[in-house]
Amino acid sequence: MTDLLKKAFDTASKLPEDEQDAVAEWLLAELASEEGWEGRFARTQDALSALAHEALDEHERGETEDLDPERL
């Protein structure tokens, strides 16, 4: 465990029990959400790679134009 995480847990341990539970629920939800994003992102790599190749092919064929921030 890193020093910063230990400090956070030490600080949280001084809170009332209901607040400790709230912090724990929040942290667990954040960790689960992050794992979910990583899994969903990993499953899209083939599709993202195909789209990137398609975009590069279009660019090489001159079918793209420069982005104009003024027209966004």
Side-chain angles (χ1 to χ4, degrees), residues 53-64:
H53 287 292
E54 182 180 339
L56 287 172
D57 290 343
E58 289 174 358
H59 181 70
E60 289 172 1
R61 291 191 305 264
E63 298 174 356
T64 61

Side-chain angles (χ1 to χ4, degrees), residues 31-53:
L31 293 171
S33 175
E34 184 65 26
E35 289 173 5
W37 274 110
E38 287 176 8
R40 286 188 293 278
F41 186 72
R43 289 189 299 272
T44 64
Q45 289 305 298
D46 290 340
L48 290 173
S49 181
L51 289 170
H53 287 292

Side-chain angles (χ1 to χ4, degrees), residues 4-42:
L4 185 58
L5 185 57
K6 184 176 182 335
K7 181 179 179 181
F9 283 134
D10 288 344
T11 301
S13 72
K14 297 172 186 165
L15 297 170
E17 283 188 19
D18 61 329
E19 291 181 28
Q20 288 183 39
D21 285 345
V23 169
E25 287 174 4
W26 170 82
L27 179 57
L28 291 170
E30 284 295 313
L31 293 171
S33 175
E34 184 65 26
E35 289 173 5
W37 274 110
E38 287 176 8
R40 286 188 293 278
F41 186 72

